[in-house]
Amino acid sequence: MTSEILIVWCNCPDAQTAQELATGLIQARLAACVNVLAPVQSIYHWDNGIETQAEVPLMVKTTNAAYPALEQWLQSHHPYTIPEIIALPVTHGLPAYLNWVRNELLENK
């Protein structure tokens, strides 16, 4: 069932943090794959003002079952007070790839 696969989005303050978080998620077997994407410009409200900051997004492939531990791990290792951690369900995908994602996670090792 594809709905058990999630894509988790998480912005990081810089490339080094993104690399460290991505590697940590893989080492902890909370994600099958993490893409460190090109920097983006984020504009958002914070502390009664508008902030503009370059950030480095992570695109994390995981499962619904692994998500609670992944969220807790990211929140405890991320330098932001309130990190952006958003999970989106995968509704379609190559079955062989989706099976690979499932098989790479901690609960299957």
Side-chain angles (χ1 to χ4, degrees):
M1 175 177 223
T2 57
S3 63
E4 67 187 73
I5 304 295
L6 300 175
I7 300 293
V8 178
W9 189 270
C10 180
N11 280 340
C12 302
D14 54 52
Q16 180 178 342
T17 301
Q19 186 69 37
E20 290 169 0
L21 292 175
T23 301
L25 287 170
I26 296 299
Q27 288 174 336
R29 296 200 85 90
L30 295 172
C33 176
V34 180
N35 300 113
V36 178
L37 303 176
V40 298
Q41 192 74 7
S42 295
I43 302 169
Y44 53 93
H45 283 277
W46 189 257
D47 288 335
N48 297 317
I50 296 177
E51 297 286 328
T52 301
Q53 180 174 330
E55 295 183 297
V56 178
L58 299 178
M59 185 172 61
V60 182
K61 283 67 146 219
T62 193
T63 62
N64 224 0
Y67 179 80
L70 180 145
E71 180 186 273
Q72 182 179 18
W73 189 96
L74 265 179
Q75 191 171 16
S76 68
H77 289 84
H78 203 289
Y80 289 169
T81 304
I82 304 174
E84 175 184 11
I85 304 171
I86 299 172
L88 305 168
V90 173
T91 61
H92 296 80
L94 181 68
Y97 180 80
L98 300 177
N99 286 333
W100 173 79
V101 170
R102 286 182 201 98
N103 291 331
E104 286 303 306
L105 299 181
L106 182 62
E107 71 262 17
N108 295 317
K109 295 296 176 191

